[in-house]
Amino acid sequence: SVNVENSSTVARNHVTRTDPVAGSSESEGSSVILYISSGQMTMPSVTGKSQSDAQAELQKSGFSITIQQQSSSTVAKGNVISTNPAAGTTVSQGSMVTMIVSSGPQQTNVPGGLSGQSVATVRSALEALGLKVTVNPSNAQDNWIVNSIIGQNNTNLTSNGGSVTAGSTVTLTAQ
């Protein structure tokens, strides 16, 4: 008899294996089952792997690959967020796979030139960008003048602004 099965390595309509296995002795008239490749395979999971490791694995399985970058606060920069088609789905050998790779957390650009303005003005501008704001000293009044703006990892944003992780906290120093 003949059965059809998925195979990542054997071309469609070619024999993948036999039962009993090739090279074994069987009595004359015994049944032999041929397994034929459907030309289909199961999409492997490469989620969470580095882009280079995932790409190598998929290319080894015969896939063509395109890469799209997407920001992510949960998947490390350079690692695979997902694939299309999704892992576990049945796909044709040699299919095109799109890997979605993390570009890291989404960034927000803080404009330069905010120092020298009032705490109220700078706080309003930064909160409008979706950032959290703390002020030193904590008893600073809204009309006090901001003289420094510090982002995450002590990034100095006072003169030229810069890029910070979206939703992060920016610290103003005022007097």
Side-chain angles (χ1 to χ4, degrees):
S1 73
V2 176
N3 291 340
V4 177
E5 66 181 358
N6 293 346
S7 172
S8 62
T9 57
V10 178
R12 182 182 176 152
N13 295 329
H14 286 82
V15 175
T16 58
R17 62 190 172 103
T18 61
D19 185 14
V21 296
S24 61
S25 290
E26 298 298 322
S27 53
E28 190 173 326
S30 295
S31 294
V32 174
I33 302 171
L34 288 178
Y35 291 87
I36 306 294
S37 173
S38 65
Q40 302 285 302
M41 61 183 291
T42 301
M43 178 66 195
S45 174
V46 294
T47 300
K49 293 183 178 184
S50 71
Q51 177 181 329
S52 59
D53 287 351
Q55 196 166 352
E57 181 177 331
L58 294 175
Q59 286 174 331
K60 185 178 176 188
S61 294
F63 291 107
S64 298
I65 301 165
T66 60
I67 297 169
Q68 291 181 358
Q69 299 286 321
Q70 180 178 310
S71 61
S72 173
S73 59
T74 57
V75 177
K77 182 177 182 174
N79 286 359
V80 177
I81 298 170
S82 64
T83 57
N84 184 11
T89 58
T90 300
V91 295
S92 295
Q93 293 170 345
S95 292
M96 176 63 72
V97 174
T98 301
M99 281 194 322
I100 311 300
V101 177
S102 173
S103 57
Q106 184 172 346
Q107 299 291 296
T108 296
N109 287 320
V110 175
L114 292 176
S115 63
Q117 299 183 48
S118 72
V119 168
T121 299
V122 175
R123 180 194 320 261
S124 177
L126 294 174
E127 287 176 346
L129 294 172
L131 298 170
K132 299 176 188 87
V133 178
T134 60
V135 182
N136 287 328
S138 58
N139 66 343
Q141 303 297 307
D142 280 350
N143 64 344
W144 288 19
I145 300 302
V146 173
N147 53 31
S148 78
I149 305 168
I150 305 298
Q152 64 203 46
N153 303 321
N154 291 318
T155 305
N156 190 331
L157 306 168
T158 305
S159 298
N160 299 321
S163 186
V164 296
T165 300
S168 65
T169 299
V170 174
T171 303
L172 309 179
T173 303
Q175 57 186 22

